[in-house]
């Protein structure tokens, strides 16, 4: 018999465990003892990109999973979601706009300097 395990805190699907004879209920013939944080129902959904499968108390469902995704805001503030279901902030960027602006400014100034040096007096 297979059971499907989930994390005790996040409820995230962890994988399948196959029960064997040592997991049989000694008091009820033909019945297995189901471990904690496991259910008999296999996951009925499949996670896509930036999603996770969780046990919602009665079955399996999907939540956003942006853990580990670094983001920046226009202000230069940055962060990284740490919990399942935690959304990215509105206006989040996948690059540092302040660093990009500094790089573009330096690039522009270098080109201006090169042009200035080329102009004969």
């Amino acid at each position: 018999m297979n059971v499907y395990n989930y994390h005790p805190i996040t409820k995230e699907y962890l994988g399948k465990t196959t029960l064997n004879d040592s997991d049989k209920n000694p008091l009820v013939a033909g019945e297995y003892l189901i471990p904690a944080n496991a259910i008999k129902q296999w996951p009925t959904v499949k996670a896509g990109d930036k999603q996770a499968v969780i046990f919602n108390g009665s079955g399996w469902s999907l939540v956003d999973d942006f853990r580990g995704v670094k983001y920046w805001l226009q202000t230069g503030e940055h962060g990284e979601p740490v919990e399942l279901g935690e959304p990215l902030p509105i206006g989040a960027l996948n690059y540092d706009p302040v660093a990009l602006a500094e790089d573009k400014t330096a690039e522009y100034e270098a080109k201006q300097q090169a042009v200035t040096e080329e102009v004969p007096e």
Side-chain angles (χ1 to χ4, degrees), residues 7-8 12-13 17 27-28 33 38 40 44 53 58 61 65-66 72 79 90 92-93 96 99-101 106 108 116 121:
H7 190 277
E12 184 177 13
Y13 174 63
T17 299
L27 302 176
V28 182
L33 299 172
K40 293 181 197 178
T44 54
V53 176
S58 62
S61 60
D65 185 6
F66 292 106
W72 288 263
I90 293 173
L93 304 169
D96 181 351
L100 179 62
Y108 174 78
T116 305
E121 292 191 34

Side-chain angles (χ1 to χ4, degrees), residues 9 11 24 28 31-32 46 56 61 66 75-76 87 90 108 111 114 119:
I9 296 172
K11 308 299 185 205
K24 286 188 176 178
V28 182
E31 191 175 287
Y32 286 87
K46 184 176 181 177
N56 63 24
S61 60
F66 292 106
T75 60
I90 293 173
Y108 174 78
K111 285 181 181 177
V119 175

Side-chain angles (χ1 to χ4, degrees), residues 21-41:
D21 288 341
S22 67
D23 298 306
K24 286 188 176 178
N25 187 338
L27 302 176
V28 182
E31 191 175 287
Y32 286 87
L33 299 172
I34 307 298
N37 305 310
I39 62 171
K40 293 181 197 178
Q41 180 187 4

Side-chain angles (χ1 to χ4, degrees), residues 87-121:
L88 294 174
I90 293 173
L93 304 169
N94 62 355
Y95 61 89
D96 181 351
V98 174
L100 179 62
E102 289 170 354
D103 290 348
K104 291 295 181 184
T105 299
E107 184 180 311
Y108 174 78
E109 289 173 350
K111 285 181 181 177
Q112 288 299 104
Q113 180 67 30
V115 168
T116 305
E117 291 172 357
E118 290 178 6
V119 175
E121 292 191 34

